[in-house]
Structure formats: structure tokens, C-alpha cells
Amino acid sequence: MPFIPEQRRISSQYVQDTKLREAFQWRETWKCFVLTMVIIIFILGVLRDPSNVGLSKNNWLEYIYCILGCLFLYIFYIVECRYSEIVWDLAETDLMPISAVSEYIVRLKRAEPHVWWQASCYHFVEQKSPRRNSRQMTRVNMQVTRVSFDHRNFGYTDISDYLVFCQKSPLVKIEFSKGFAFARPRHAEEFENIRGEFFSAHEPVDDHIEKKEGLDLAGVEFEDYICAGRFPRFINTTTYWICSFLLLSWPYRVYVNYNTSYAHYTSHFRYIDLHRIWYRNKLINEQM
């Protein structure tokens, strides 16, 4: 379990525009680029000199096979366009305003963190399947226990950075994550021991154990991704499919990525020792 000293200062995280070099390196473009280049090179090779691809002028059957092969590549290209991540992004109609994102981050900072562990003890039972001479394994949960970390002896403080929107692009895509740490290594070690004892106590209950742990923020519905702002000009589903049918999906994706700003925000909490704070405040009051 990591620990973060109390001397750590909160800084500002700036949302900036995507550079053109970064737009070309987007992971959603390389597969589309390869398929587009293969189709274009194949078509240009056939139109320029059919003998380059093994076609003879008097054999129409070879031309039919060539057309079917090109059609197969084109269908494969359209399927890739259909299941691309950009389709789901363009289908997002209810974009959150930038001001609402700032309010959401404030709520994350003010939320109370709850760390929990869950142990699911289970075994498998072989049951007869409805099919003839077939059996299947069914999981049976013997015990499911979930507890929360008792942080009554600890206080907590938010150490997340401030997110500053200074981009020119009207569309922003933010990825959110959350985490926690301790201010002192001794407390982090105690936390690891308590968690280890909890899972060790449930291991003998059954044949298998499934371990889960997480961090919940009270009163806040945590979102993994948020698209905020508005779509720039020519960025919509209709334009995307027109470009896709014309083998222009790859440059269009680069255009969309270039006009979208990306950010990753982590909501981070630090547990601190209340006794140490009380003692420090007492010394300050005595000096005054």
C-alpha cells in the first residue's frame, strides 16, 4: 500500500489541445489505416496493370474472383468502422457542460471515501446437463463476506490536483480513476496486515476464494468516462459514415482526435493520524 507524505502539495493539472503528432498515434487509427491502404493499393494495381496481381486479359473468371476478394476486404473494412470506439463517442448526444464537470470534481473532493474488501468462498458442483451424456460445472457460493475499513482513528484529506480547462477544442474527453494512500508508512503496513488477515481467515471456508476490494465515494455516482463540451463542426455520425463508405474513415478519425482534448483525472485521498493532528494542534495552542 503506497503512502504519501503530508508535505505533498496539490498542483494544477491543465487540459490541453491534442497535437497533430499525437492525433496520428491514436490507437483507433492504425487498423483502419492498414485496411484502407490494402484496398487502395489493390484497386490501383488492378486499374494500372492487371498482370501485376496475376490477372490475364482474356480470363473473366479471374476478374470475378478479384472483385469478390476486393469486396471481402471492403466488407471487413466496414465492419471495423462499425465497431470502432469512435462510433460510440459520436452517438453520445447528452454531453455534459464544462461547468458541470468542474462541479462534479468538487463533489469528488468533498465525498467521504469508504474502502471495502469482499471474500467469496465457493466450490463447483457437477450437474447433469439437459443434453445427452453431458455434464456441466456449476458454481455454488458458500459464504460471501464484505467489510469496510475502520478508519475511525484516521482522518482523511483530498490530495487530488485541480483540473484547469485551458484548451481551445470545444470537446473534452476525461477519464476518471480513484485511489487512496496513507500519510505514514506504519499505517500503510497496518492496513496491509488487516487486509491480509481478513482474506486468510476466509481461505479455509471452501475450496476456492474470490477476493475483491474497492473504494466507494459516499453520495457520488462515480463515472469512468465523461464527454463534455460540444461536438465541433463536421463531427457527427452522418459525416463519419459518408467518409467511411468513401474510404476516408482514417483521415476523418485523425481529424476527430485532433479536435478532441483528453485528460485523466485521479481522485486521490490520504488517510492521516487523528491523534497526531490533535497533538500537533495542542502544541500550537500552547505556544500561542
Side-chain angles (χ1 to χ4, degrees):
M1 176 58 58
F3 70 95
I4 300 178
E6 298 183 11
Q7 292 78 11
R8 181 187 183 275
R9 295 182 179 180
I10 300 177
S11 59
S12 298
Q13 180 181 351
Y14 297 93
V15 181
Q16 299 180 352
D17 294 322
T18 303
K19 299 180 180 179
L20 185 60
R21 175 175 54 85
E22 298 173 349
F24 279 95
Q25 296 176 353
W26 191 29
R27 60 183 177 86
E28 281 290 315
T29 60
W30 70 270
K31 289 187 294 184
C32 181
F33 172 76
V34 172
L35 288 173
T36 304
M37 290 296 102
V38 170
I39 295 174
I40 292 177
I41 293 174
F42 187 80
I43 294 176
L44 292 179
V46 173
L47 295 178
R48 184 176 181 180
D49 189 1
S51 61
N52 291 334
V53 292
L55 297 177
S56 58
K57 297 182 179 180
N58 299 325
N59 194 342
W60 292 100
L61 186 60
E62 294 181 357
Y63 279 93
I64 294 176
Y65 289 150
C66 179
I67 294 175
L68 292 177
C70 185
L71 183 62
F72 174 78
L73 289 176
Y74 185 76
I75 293 176
F76 190 69
Y77 160 81
I78 293 297
V79 171
E80 194 278 334
C81 294
R82 170 62 181 85
Y83 291 98
S84 175
E85 183 181 341
I86 191 175
V87 177
W88 312 108
D89 294 338
L90 295 178
E92 187 72 29
T93 57
D94 189 15
L95 296 181
M96 183 180 296
I98 300 296
S99 58
V101 177
S102 301
E103 295 176 359
Y104 175 73
I105 293 177
V106 172
R107 291 169 54 200
L108 290 178
K109 286 179 169 292
R110 296 178 178 177
E112 181 180 358
H114 293 281
V115 182
W116 55 268
W117 311 307
Q118 178 175 309
S120 301
C121 305
Y122 63 95
H123 62 276
F124 291 99
V125 177
E126 185 177 2
Q127 294 182 350
K128 188 175 182 180
S129 176
R131 297 182 179 180
R132 185 178 180 182
N133 297 329
S134 177
R135 293 182 176 273
Q136 61 182 4
M137 303 299 293
T138 304
R139 173 176 167 173
V140 178
N141 290 328
M142 182 63 65
Q143 181 180 350
V144 178
T145 307
R146 178 171 176 171
V147 297
S148 298
F149 172 62
D150 187 6
H151 58 275
R152 288 177 295 180
N153 294 330
F154 296 89
Y156 64 90
T157 178
D158 177 79
I159 56 174
S160 307
D161 295 333
Y162 294 101
L163 193 62
V164 181
F165 296 92
C166 59
Q167 80 288 346
K168 297 180 181 179
S169 173
L171 183 61
V172 181
K173 188 175 182 181
I174 308 173
E175 179 183 359
F176 287 89
S177 60
K178 50 188 175 180
F180 69 97
F182 290 87
R184 306 182 69 180
R186 178 172 60 86
H187 296 151
E189 185 178 355
E190 292 177 358
F191 175 85
E192 290 287 352
N193 294 334
I194 296 174
R195 182 177 60 177
E197 292 176 358
F198 169 78
F199 288 124
S200 299
H202 289 80
E203 288 181 355
V205 175
D206 211 335
D207 297 338
H208 307 279
I209 181 173
E210 181 181 6
K211 303 177 182 179
K212 292 183 180 180
E213 54 185 324
L215 172 64
D216 294 337
L217 303 179
V220 178
E221 184 178 354
F222 188 80
E223 300 285 347
D224 294 328
Y225 289 94
I226 289 181
C227 290
R230 60 177 180 84
F231 285 113
R233 191 177 182 182
F234 302 120
I235 296 183
N236 51 65
T237 305
T238 303
T239 308
Y240 170 73
W241 281 114
I242 292 176
C243 294
S244 298
F245 288 128
L246 297 177
L247 297 178
L248 297 175
S249 179
W250 173 70
Y252 183 78
R253 296 185 193 185
V254 175
Y255 171 77
V256 173
N257 191 37
Y258 180 72
N259 287 274
T260 304
S261 298
Y262 296 88
H264 181 266
Y265 183 82
T266 302
S267 181
H268 218 135
F269 295 89
R270 178 178 57 195
Y271 286 105
I272 52 182
D273 192 354
L274 288 179
H275 299 290
R276 186 183 179 190
I277 294 178
W278 176 83
Y279 180 72
R280 184 173 58 186
N281 292 337
K282 182 179 179 181
L283 291 178
I284 294 176
N285 294 331
E286 290 179 354
Q287 292 176 1
M288 294 178 61

